[in-house]
Amino acid sequence: MSSKPQKMPKVAKVKDKSPAELQITAEQLLREAKERELEIVPPPPRQKISDPEELQEYRLKKRRAFEDNIRKNRGNISNWIKYAKWEEEQQEIRRARSVYERALDVDHRNITLWLKYAEMEMRSRQVSLEGKGVGYLSLLHA
């Protein structure tokens, strides 16, 4: 066994040791926390989109949110994949493809990213690998 002395955690030094004018009990803290918990407003109901203008507005808002997330953390591949999947759900295959291509510029060695991209292309019937004896990984190493 090692004979290293164990480090003690640093303790905050208190400058003013006189009691506060207003004393708060643990019970009060817990009660206030419970009250605040009840104050949490439930999320708004799902939005019903009734015309093409509203749909475009909704899509623009979502795209801005995805782009902001990517801008904050470019290296987080899950943000890129969520964005691309959302574009695919919107039947915007070209946009989804663009998102995957941009993500590959960030991390071209990420196998998950390549797999998701290939799966999307197969779902959209852009690539057919059936009966060709070609696996995903052989595509990655080509």
Side-chain angles (χ1 to χ4, degrees):
M1 296 220 158
S2 65
S3 60
K4 286 185 179 180
Q6 290 184 342
K7 291 185 178 180
M8 296 299 290
K10 289 185 179 181
V11 179
K13 293 180 182 175
V14 179
K15 293 179 183 175
D16 183 12
K17 296 184 179 181
S18 62
E21 291 179 27
L22 180 65
Q23 296 290 314
I24 301 174
T25 65
E27 183 182 345
Q28 283 176 299
L29 288 173
L30 289 171
R31 192 176 330 111
E32 285 178 21
K34 192 66 176 171
E35 287 171 4
R36 286 201 179 118
E37 199 175 277
L38 297 174
E39 287 175 11
I40 295 173
V41 180
R46 291 186 67 106
Q47 186 177 359
K48 298 279 187 200
I49 297 174
S50 58
D51 64 3
E53 270 183 40
E54 279 185 64
L55 180 59
Q56 285 304 104
E57 209 172 287
Y58 166 75
R59 286 178 173 171
L60 181 64
K61 195 177 348 177
K62 286 289 280 187
R63 286 185 181 118
R64 273 202 190 113
F66 281 122
E67 290 290 344
D68 287 346
N69 284 340
I70 287 169
R71 206 172 301 112
K72 287 175 191 169
N73 191 354
R74 263 179 80 77
N76 187 349
I77 298 300
S78 69
N79 285 344
W80 292 95
I81 291 173
K82 286 175 191 171
Y83 186 12
K85 281 189 173 192
W86 181 81
E87 288 291 5
E88 183 185 3
E89 288 169 4
Q90 300 300 308
Q91 306 300 311
E92 294 280 356
I93 301 302
R94 292 179 70 192
R95 285 182 182 271
R97 200 174 284 136
S98 171
V99 172
Y100 277 120
E101 294 292 334
R102 289 170 47 212
L104 288 169
D105 285 342
V106 171
D107 185 3
H108 68 278
R109 292 180 175 223
N110 189 313
I111 293 174
T112 304
L113 189 56
W114 282 103
L115 291 174
K116 299 285 185 189
Y117 190 10
E119 287 169 359
M120 182 208 63
E121 291 290 1
M122 289 190 308
R123 277 191 300 273
S124 66
R125 308 261 188 258
Q126 300 298 319
V127 174
S128 176
L129 299 177
E130 296 171 17
K132 304 241 185 335
V134 178
Y136 286 131
L137 293 178
S138 62
L139 286 175
L140 295 177
H141 297 293

PDB file of all heavy atoms in Angstrom, residues 116-138:
ATOM      1  N   LYS A 116     -25.135   6.531 -39.499  1.00  0.00           N
ATOM      2  CA  LYS A 116     -26.414   7.262 -39.539  1.00  0.00           C
ATOM      3  C   LYS A 116     -26.637   7.875 -40.926  1.00  0.00           C
ATOM      4  O   LYS A 116     -27.759   7.866 -41.434  1.00  0.00           O
ATOM      5  CB  LYS A 116     -26.444   8.374 -38.476  1.00  0.00           C
ATOM      6  CG  LYS A 116     -26.310   7.885 -37.064  1.00  0.00           C
ATOM      7  CD  LYS A 116     -27.583   7.255 -36.587  1.00  0.00           C
ATOM      8  CE  LYS A 116     -27.451   6.874 -35.120  1.00  0.00           C
ATOM      9  NZ  LYS A 116     -28.566   6.086 -34.665  1.00  0.00           N
ATOM     10  N   TYR A 117     -25.577   8.405 -41.509  1.00  0.00           N
ATOM     11  CA  TYR A 117     -25.661   9.012 -42.836  1.00  0.00           C
ATOM     12  C   TYR A 117     -26.054   7.949 -43.871  1.00  0.00           C
ATOM     13  O   TYR A 117     -26.977   8.140 -44.671  1.00  0.00           O
ATOM     14  CB  TYR A 117     -24.313   9.646 -43.176  1.00  0.00           C
ATOM     15  CG  TYR A 117     -24.278  10.512 -44.412  1.00  0.00           C
ATOM     16  CD1 TYR A 117     -25.420  10.905 -45.096  1.00  0.00           C
ATOM     17  CD2 TYR A 117     -23.061  10.954 -44.908  1.00  0.00           C
ATOM     18  CE1 TYR A 117     -25.358  11.706 -46.225  1.00  0.00           C
ATOM     19  CE2 TYR A 117     -22.987  11.760 -46.038  1.00  0.00           C
ATOM     20  CZ  TYR A 117     -24.141  12.127 -46.684  1.00  0.00           C
ATOM     21  OH  TYR A 117     -24.076  12.914 -47.804  1.00  0.00           O
ATOM     22  N   ALA A 118     -25.383   6.796 -43.816  1.00  0.00           N
ATOM     23  CA  ALA A 118     -25.681   5.715 -44.764  1.00  0.00           C
ATOM     24  C   ALA A 118     -27.113   5.201 -44.569  1.00  0.00           C
ATOM     25  O   ALA A 118     -27.828   4.936 -45.550  1.00  0.00           O
ATOM     26  CB  ALA A 118     -24.682   4.576 -44.590  1.00  0.00           C
ATOM     27  N   GLU A 119     -27.551   5.070 -43.318  1.00  0.00           N
ATOM     28  CA  GLU A 119     -28.922   4.604 -43.048  1.00  0.00           C
ATOM     29  C   GLU A 119     -29.947   5.579 -43.603  1.00  0.00           C
ATOM     30  O   GLU A 119     -30.955   5.172 -44.184  1.00  0.00           O
ATOM     31  CB  GLU A 119     -29.127   4.433 -41.537  1.00  0.00           C
ATOM     32  CG  GLU A 119     -28.402   3.226 -40.978  1.00  0.00           C
ATOM     33  CD  GLU A 119     -28.371   3.206 -39.460  1.00  0.00           C
ATOM     34  OE1 GLU A 119     -28.902   4.150 -38.812  1.00  0.00           O
ATOM     35  OE2 GLU A 119     -27.804   2.248 -38.907  1.00  0.00           O
ATOM     36  N   MET A 120     -29.678   6.879 -43.452  1.00  0.00           N
ATOM     37  CA  MET A 120     -30.606   7.873 -43.993  1.00  0.00           C
ATOM     38  C   MET A 120     -30.681   7.753 -45.519  1.00  0.00           C
ATOM     39  O   MET A 120     -31.760   7.785 -46.097  1.00  0.00           O
ATOM     40  CB  MET A 120     -30.168   9.296 -43.630  1.00  0.00           C
ATOM     41  CG  MET A 120     -31.140  10.343 -44.141  1.00  0.00           C
ATOM     42  SD  MET A 120     -30.437  11.958 -44.491  1.00  0.00           S
ATOM     43  CE  MET A 120     -29.296  11.650 -45.799  1.00  0.00           C
ATOM     44  N   GLU A 121     -29.536   7.589 -46.149  1.00  0.00           N
ATOM     45  CA  GLU A 121     -29.509   7.469 -47.609  1.00  0.00           C
ATOM     46  C   GLU A 121     -30.268   6.218 -48.065  1.00  0.00           C
ATOM     47  O   GLU A 121     -30.976   6.249 -49.060  1.00  0.00           O
ATOM     48  CB  GLU A 121     -28.071   7.442 -48.129  1.00  0.00           C
ATOM     49  CG  GLU A 121     -27.338   8.756 -47.975  1.00  0.00           C
ATOM     50  CD  GLU A 121     -27.846   9.859 -48.899  1.00  0.00           C
ATOM     51  OE1 GLU A 121     -28.802   9.634 -49.672  1.00  0.00           O
ATOM     52  OE2 GLU A 121     -27.302  10.965 -48.841  1.00  0.00           O
ATOM     53  N   MET A 122     -30.138   5.147 -47.302  1.00  0.00           N
ATOM     54  CA  MET A 122     -30.861   3.917 -47.669  1.00  0.00           C
ATOM     55  C   MET A 122     -32.365   4.092 -47.459  1.00  0.00           C
ATOM     56  O   MET A 122     -33.156   3.639 -48.282  1.00  0.00           O
ATOM     57  CB  MET A 122     -30.339   2.722 -46.869  1.00  0.00           C
ATOM     58  CG  MET A 122     -28.948   2.316 -47.324  1.00  0.00           C
ATOM     59  SD  MET A 122     -28.355   0.765 -46.653  1.00  0.00           S
ATOM     60  CE  MET A 122     -28.589   0.950 -44.932  1.00  0.00           C
ATOM     61  N   ARG A 123     -32.749   4.767 -46.376  1.00  0.00           N
ATOM     62  CA  ARG A 123     -34.177   5.015 -46.142  1.00  0.00           C
ATOM     63  C   ARG A 123     -34.768   5.880 -47.252  1.00  0.00           C
ATOM     64  O   ARG A 123     -35.915   5.704 -47.639  1.00  0.00           O
ATOM     65  CB  ARG A 123     -34.398   5.689 -44.790  1.00  0.00           C
ATOM     66  CG  ARG A 123     -34.430   4.742 -43.632  1.00  0.00           C
ATOM     67  CD  ARG A 123     -34.921   5.422 -42.369  1.00  0.00           C
ATOM     68  NE  ARG A 123     -34.091   6.541 -41.954  1.00  0.00           N
ATOM     69  CZ  ARG A 123     -33.010   6.447 -41.180  1.00  0.00           C
ATOM     70  NH1 ARG A 123     -32.628   5.259 -40.735  1.00  0.00           N
ATOM     71  NH2 ARG A 123     -32.320   7.514 -40.843  1.00  0.00           N
ATOM     72  N   SER A 124     -33.987   6.819 -47.731  1.00  0.00           N
ATOM     73  CA  SER A 124     -34.495   7.706 -48.781  1.00  0.00           C
ATOM     74  C   SER A 124     -34.290   7.098 -50.169  1.00  0.00           C
ATOM     75  O   SER A 124     -34.480   7.771 -51.177  1.00  0.00           O
ATOM     76  CB  SER A 124     -33.830   9.079 -48.686  1.00  0.00           C
ATOM     77  OG  SER A 124     -32.454   8.976 -48.974  1.00  0.00           O
ATOM     78  N   ARG A 125     -33.885   5.845 -50.212  1.00  0.00           N
ATOM     79  CA  ARG A 125     -33.724   5.081 -51.449  1.00  0.00           C
ATOM     80  C   ARG A 125     -32.672   5.673 -52.390  1.00  0.00           C
ATOM     81  O   ARG A 125     -32.743   5.534 -53.593  1.00  0.00           O
ATOM     82  CB  ARG A 125     -35.053   4.964 -52.209  1.00  0.00           C
ATOM     83  CG  ARG A 125     -36.208   4.460 -51.379  1.00  0.00           C
ATOM     84  CD  ARG A 125     -36.427   2.990 -51.632  1.00  0.00           C
ATOM     85  NE  ARG A 125     -37.651   2.532 -50.981  1.00  0.00           N
ATOM     86  CZ  ARG A 125     -37.646   1.856 -49.831  1.00  0.00           C
ATOM     87  NH1 ARG A 125     -36.550   1.599 -49.219  1.00  0.00           N
ATOM     88  NH2 ARG A 125     -38.787   1.440 -49.314  1.00  0.00           N
ATOM     89  N   GLN A 126     -31.674   6.360 -51.799  1.00  0.00           N
ATOM     90  CA  GLN A 126     -30.607   6.925 -52.616  1.00  0.00           C
ATOM     91  C   GLN A 126     -29.463   5.938 -52.816  1.00  0.00           C
ATOM     92  O   GLN A 126     -28.722   6.050 -53.762  1.00  0.00           O
ATOM     93  CB  GLN A 126     -30.057   8.211 -51.967  1.00  0.00           C
ATOM     94  CG  GLN A 126     -31.084   9.295 -51.792  1.00  0.00           C
ATOM     95  CD  GLN A 126     -31.661   9.769 -53.114  1.00  0.00           C
ATOM     96  OE1 GLN A 126     -30.944   9.919 -54.096  1.00  0.00           O
ATOM     97  NE2 GLN A 126     -32.968   9.975 -53.150  1.00  0.00           N
ATOM     98  N   VAL A 127     -29.361   4.975 -51.904  1.00  0.00           N
ATOM     99  CA  VAL A 127     -28.292   3.989 -51.973  1.00  0.00           C
ATOM    100  C   VAL A 127     -28.914   2.625 -51.769  1.00  0.00           C
ATOM    101  O   VAL A 127     -29.732   2.444 -50.887  1.00  0.00           O
ATOM    102  CB  VAL A 127     -27.238   4.237 -50.863  1.00  0.00           C
ATOM    103  CG1 VAL A 127     -26.208   3.139 -50.845  1.00  0.00           C
ATOM    104  CG2 VAL A 127     -26.576   5.576 -51.051  1.00  0.00           C
ATOM    105  N   SER A 128     -28.530   1.679 -52.567  1.00  0.00           N
ATOM    106  CA  SER A 128     -29.014   0.324 -52.374  1.00  0.00           C
ATOM    107  C   SER A 128     -27.811  -0.592 -52.213  1.00  0.00           C
ATOM    108  O   SER A 128     -27.008  -0.749 -53.131  1.00  0.00           O
ATOM    109  CB  SER A 128     -29.858  -0.121 -53.573  1.00  0.00           C
ATOM    110  OG  SER A 128     -30.222  -1.458 -53.390  1.00  0.00           O
ATOM    111  N   LEU A 129     -27.690  -1.193 -51.037  1.00  0.00           N
ATOM    112  CA  LEU A 129     -26.580  -2.100 -50.771  1.00  0.00           C
ATOM    113  C   LEU A 129     -27.064  -3.542 -50.674  1.00  0.00           C
ATOM    114  O   LEU A 129     -26.286  -4.430 -50.386  1.00  0.00           O
ATOM    115  CB  LEU A 129     -25.885  -1.706 -49.459  1.00  0.00           C
ATOM    116  CG  LEU A 129     -25.282  -0.303 -49.433  1.00  0.00           C
ATOM    117  CD1 LEU A 129     -24.709  -0.021 -48.060  1.00  0.00           C
ATOM    118  CD2 LEU A 129     -24.222  -0.145 -50.477  1.00  0.00           C
ATOM    119  N   GLU A 130     -28.346  -3.769 -50.886  1.00  0.00           N
ATOM    120  CA  GLU A 130     -28.905  -5.104 -50.751  1.00  0.00           C
ATOM    121  C   GLU A 130     -28.361  -6.018 -51.848  1.00  0.00           C
ATOM    122  O   GLU A 130     -28.315  -5.668 -53.015  1.00  0.00           O
ATOM    123  CB  GLU A 130     -30.426  -5.036 -50.840  1.00  0.00           C
ATOM    124  CG  GLU A 130     -31.033  -4.247 -49.702  1.00  0.00           C
ATOM    125  CD  GLU A 130     -32.511  -3.991 -49.903  1.00  0.00           C
ATOM    126  OE1 GLU A 130     -33.125  -4.673 -50.734  1.00  0.00           O
ATOM    127  OE2 GLU A 130     -33.041  -3.096 -49.223  1.00  0.00           O
ATOM    128  N   GLY A 131     -27.941  -7.197 -51.426  1.00  0.00           N
ATOM    129  CA  GLY A 131     -27.498  -8.205 -52.378  1.00  0.00           C
ATOM    130  C   GLY A 131     -26.146  -7.920 -53.005  1.00  0.00           C
ATOM    131  O   GLY A 131     -25.685  -8.630 -53.868  1.00  0.00           O
ATOM    132  N   LYS A 132     -25.470  -6.902 -52.556  1.00  0.00           N
ATOM    133  CA  LYS A 132     -24.180  -6.569 -53.149  1.00  0.00           C
ATOM    134  C   LYS A 132     -23.019  -7.079 -52.296  1.00  0.00           C
ATOM    135  O   LYS A 132     -21.872  -6.933 -52.679  1.00  0.00           O
ATOM    136  CB  LYS A 132     -24.057  -5.046 -53.314  1.00  0.00           C
ATOM    137  CG  LYS A 132     -25.174  -4.422 -54.123  1.00  0.00           C
ATOM    138  CD  LYS A 132     -24.635  -3.756 -55.332  1.00  0.00           C
ATOM    139  CE  LYS A 132     -25.606  -2.984 -56.171  1.00  0.00           C
ATOM    140  NZ  LYS A 132     -26.985  -3.286 -56.181  1.00  0.00           N
ATOM    141  N   GLY A 133     -23.337  -7.619 -51.117  1.00  0.00           N
ATOM    142  CA  GLY A 133     -22.282  -8.129 -50.251  1.00  0.00           C
ATOM    143  C   GLY A 133     -21.414  -7.014 -49.684  1.00  0.00           C
ATOM    144  O   GLY A 133     -20.268  -7.227 -49.338  1.00  0.00           O
ATOM    145  N   VAL A 134     -21.952  -5.824 -49.596  1.00  0.00           N
ATOM    146  CA  VAL A 134     -21.187  -4.690 -49.088  1.00  0.00           C
ATOM    147  C   VAL A 134     -21.710  -4.321 -47.719  1.00  0.00           C
ATOM    148  O   VAL A 134     -22.904  -4.120 -47.546  1.00  0.00           O
ATOM    149  CB  VAL A 134     -21.337  -3.464 -50.041  1.00  0.00           C
ATOM    150  CG1 VAL A 134     -20.589  -2.273 -49.491  1.00  0.00           C
ATOM    151  CG2 VAL A 134     -20.860  -3.818 -51.427  1.00  0.00           C
ATOM    152  N   GLY A 135     -20.838  -4.259 -46.741  1.00  0.00           N
ATOM    153  CA  GLY A 135     -21.230  -3.857 -45.402  1.00  0.00           C
ATOM    154  C   GLY A 135     -20.888  -2.395 -45.182  1.00  0.00           C
ATOM    155  O   GLY A 135     -20.169  -1.779 -45.964  1.00  0.00           O
ATOM    156  N   TYR A 136     -21.417  -1.867 -44.084  1.00  0.00           N
ATOM    157  CA  TYR A 136     -21.158  -0.467 -43.774  1.00  0.00           C
ATOM    158  C   TYR A 136     -19.646  -0.205 -43.664  1.00  0.00           C
ATOM    159  O   TYR A 136     -19.142   0.763 -44.200  1.00  0.00           O
ATOM    160  CB  TYR A 136     -21.771  -0.089 -42.427  1.00  0.00           C
ATOM    161  CG  TYR A 136     -23.258   0.048 -42.416  1.00  0.00           C
ATOM    162  CD1 TYR A 136     -24.022  -0.583 -41.450  1.00  0.00           C
ATOM    163  CD2 TYR A 136     -23.906   0.821 -43.360  1.00  0.00           C
ATOM    164  CE1 TYR A 136     -25.389  -0.445 -41.418  1.00  0.00           C
ATOM    165  CE2 TYR A 136     -25.279   0.974 -43.336  1.00  0.00           C
ATOM    166  CZ  TYR A 136     -26.014   0.335 -42.362  1.00  0.00           C
ATOM    167  OH  TYR A 136     -27.363   0.479 -42.323  1.00  0.00           O
ATOM    168  N   LEU A 137     -18.961  -1.079 -42.924  1.00  0.00           N
ATOM    169  CA  LEU A 137     -17.564  -0.796 -42.656  1.00  0.00           C
ATOM    170  C   LEU A 137     -16.710  -0.847 -43.914  1.00  0.00           C
ATOM    171  O   LEU A 137     -15.742  -0.129 -44.032  1.00  0.00           O
ATOM    172  CB  LEU A 137     -17.032  -1.767 -41.604  1.00  0.00           C
ATOM    173  CG  LEU A 137     -17.643  -1.573 -40.213  1.00  0.00           C
ATOM    174  CD1 LEU A 137     -17.100  -2.600 -39.241  1.00  0.00           C
ATOM    175  CD2 LEU A 137     -17.383  -0.182 -39.694  1.00  0.00           C
ATOM    176  N   SER A 138     -17.096  -1.665 -44.883  1.00  0.00           N
ATOM    177  CA  SER A 138     -16.315  -1.670 -46.116  1.00  0.00           C
ATOM    178  C   SER A 138     -16.478  -0.349 -46.852  1.00  0.00           C
ATOM    179  O   SER A 138     -15.585   0.095 -47.564  1.00  0.00           O
ATOM    180  CB  SER A 138     -16.682  -2.855 -47.008  1.00  0.00           C
ATOM    181  OG  SER A 138     -18.028  -2.772 -47.395  1.00  0.00           O
TER     182      SER A 138
END
